[in-house]
Amino acid sequence: MGVDVVVVGAGIAGLSVAEAMLNRGVKVCVIEAKHAGYGATGRSAGIATLQMNDVLDVRLAKKGIDIMDEWKRRYNLYDVLSTTGLLSIDRSESITTNARIFSDADVAYEVMDAKEAMDRWPWLRLDAGDGGDVECIYTKDDVCMDPLLFARIFADRLKDMGVEFVISKADIMSIKVDEKHNNNNHLTLRVDNRDVDADTLILCTGAWTKGISNLYAPINILKVPLIFFKIEHGSDMIVPFSDEINRTYFIPSRAGMLVGADYTTWSVDKAEDALGEVLNWDADPDLSSYIKYIRGLLLSRINLNIHESKVHFGPISITPDGRPIVGRVPGFKNIYILDGLKGYGLARAPALAYMLVEHILDGAEIVGELGSTRFISINDTRLVQGG
Ligand SMILES: Cc1cc2nc3c(=O)[nH]c(=O)nc-3n(C[C@H](O)[C@H](O)[C@H](O)COP(=O)(O)OP(=O)(O)OC[C@H]3O[C@@H](n4cnc5c(N)ncnc54)[C@H](O)[C@@H]3O)c2cc1C
């Protein structure tokens, strides 16, 4: 098999990179161990949001959402990517700070008091024990999706456009750089007991990156819970919202269901330790009381009957400074990485993928804070491959 670019991983990062390469006329093959969306992407709550508290992240999310809007048109994804916006409930002081960040990033927003918000969304409750200084900030361009469905359909559309997909675990440790070319510009990767030849390899392996040594990407893994609630009359009328006073978020991202949690995470050793699903938690007192606690916080915000149906867990990958890592793997001329998307990858991944592809094809700079060499100590002796 000979292609220009091999992308490993079909989460939001890998699919975004494949699309960005396809868009530039490059022949791409995506290698995915299980199926598109198998990792964090398909297990996420499904909100590609602008509401982050850092201006670089908000700028990336804005660009990512613009790219998603283009995907809707280019790949007919109107049914799977819905522009819903996101409502954030918070104290006035934090709302003022966030409004400043949105203004700096050129993002449109509306600030409203509790009464205005409840008039607009009659299912919303904002009075119980909040005190007097609760406000809301609404951004209208946030995109909501059933993330597993999106990943599957987007992968199918890319396949229809000529991207090759191989379902197999790539043996990253088997990468061989072609010595004959003398400039390590050609490499082979062992997949399914055969060699895949490519000029460029891009690793988008999310939490699985932790198992790949020597990449200069110190990735840690957190296990993140998500509770599924069935809502009387369905969840379609509910606008995705985050409740920063109670530190929870709830997203209508699966048909008729509202999914959400608080920001609880657990540190784990490997990606597999962060995967799982529980349908009956009666025998687990800790999980039962956690679900009861989240249910109580949700009921303090909505005037609807709810019934929790399951909880699942997924992995997120995080770098020591919490920023994504994007660029060439130090020591290799033609191996690149896009990772460390943390708990907010959906909106930022398309923007980071476009940034990476412009870096690879046109030599454009990667924004300094995101660069792939920032975790290397100057005396590191592992830089043996040159480049
Ligand atoms: C419960 C939960 C809720 C979340 N909610 C949100 C949200 O609402 N909004 C948001 O923006 N973010 C959310 N996130 C975070 C978001 O899911 C991640 O930031 C994002 O999905 C990371 O994408 P990725 O492509 O880097 O990784 P992944 O989606 O994990 O993709 C990595 C892929 O690589 C494959 N792979 C790994 N190693 C190999 C190999 N050797 N060979 C072949 N394939 C391989 C894996 O099978 C996997 O499919 C949430 C995460 C969780 C867990």
Side-chain angles (χ1 to χ4, degrees), residues 8-14 31-35 37-41 43-48 168-170 172 204-208 224-226 249 312 314-316 339 341-347:
V8 183
I12 187 68
I31 299 173
E32 164 56 52
K34 302 284 185 183
H35 58 74
Y38 170 76
T41 300
R43 297 165 207 266
S44 73
I47 185 80
S168 186
K169 187 169 180 195
I172 310 290
C204 299
T205 44
W208 285 265
V224 183
L226 194 68
Y249 64 93
H312 82 200
I316 57 172
D339 204 343
L341 291 173
K342 224 172 43 170
Y344 299 93
L346 299 183

Side-chain angles (χ1 to χ4, degrees), residues 94-211:
S94 308
I95 296 269
T96 306
T97 308
N98 290 352
R100 200 174 311 122
I101 292 170
F102 295 152
S103 296
D104 288 349
D106 214 12
V107 163
Y109 62 89
E110 287 173 61
V111 173
M112 58 196 94
D113 64 24
K115 181 173 180 319
E116 285 168 320
M118 285 189 292
D119 286 348
R120 185 152 163 192
W121 293 287
W123 48 266
L124 188 64
R125 287 169 61 166
L126 290 175
D127 41 358
D130 286 332
D133 66 340
V134 170
E135 285 189 323
C136 295
I137 190 161
Y138 175 65
T139 44
K140 67 174 177 39
D141 293 325
D142 309 60
V143 169
C144 206
M145 67 194 83
D146 172 333
L148 188 55
L149 186 67
F150 159 72
R152 286 183 167 158
I153 291 181
F154 190 32
D156 283 349
R157 299 285 203 274
L158 294 180
K159 213 182 292 175
D160 293 345
M161 302 292 284
V163 174
E164 193 170 346
F165 278 80
V166 174
I167 297 299
S168 186
K169 187 169 180 195
D171 181 1
I172 310 290
M173 302 316 291
S174 75
I175 294 169
K176 279 202 222 93
V177 175
D178 188 347
E179 300 290 339
K180 279 187 290 206
H181 287 72
N182 202 27
N183 59 1
N184 71 22
N185 254 353
H186 195 82
L187 49 86
T188 57
L189 179 65
R190 203 87 185 126
V191 180
D192 268 353
N193 294 323
R194 61 194 170 130
D195 285 339
V196 176
D197 298 314
D199 294 332
T200 301
L201 176 71
I202 306 178
L203 297 172
C204 299
T205 44
W208 285 265
T209 301
K210 191 178 177 192

Side-chain angles (χ1 to χ4, degrees), residues 284-314:
D284 184 336
D286 288 344
L287 191 56
S288 296
S289 65
Y290 174 68
I291 290 171
K292 203 167 153 200
Y293 168 69
I294 301 297
R295 174 194 164 82
L297 294 178
L298 172 56
L299 282 173
S300 73
R301 290 299 180 212
I302 63 171
N303 285 316
L304 299 167
N305 288 325
I306 59 168
H307 168 69
E308 49 279 23
S309 62
K310 72 170 178 177
V311 55
H312 82 200
F313 303 91

Side-chain angles (χ1 to χ4, degrees), residues 6-74:
V6 167
V7 177
V8 183
I12 187 68
L15 293 172
S16 300
V17 169
E19 194 281 333
M21 283 290 180
L22 172 75
N23 198 28
R24 294 290 300 270
V26 175
K27 202 173 161 210
V28 195
C29 170
V30 178
I31 299 173
E32 164 56 52
K34 302 284 185 183
H35 58 74
Y38 170 76
T41 300
R43 297 165 207 266
S44 73
I47 185 80
T49 185
L50 292 154
Q51 298 229 18
M52 284 170 286
N53 43 24
D54 172 280
V55 76
L56 173 59
D57 282 338
V58 178
R59 287 206 171 105
L60 288 168
K62 183 172 190 292
K63 169 133 200 246
I65 285 172
D66 288 347
I67 293 170
M68 281 185 175
D69 281 342
E70 184 57 28
W71 289 350
K72 283 189 208 172
R73 195 188 58 73
R74 204 178 281 156

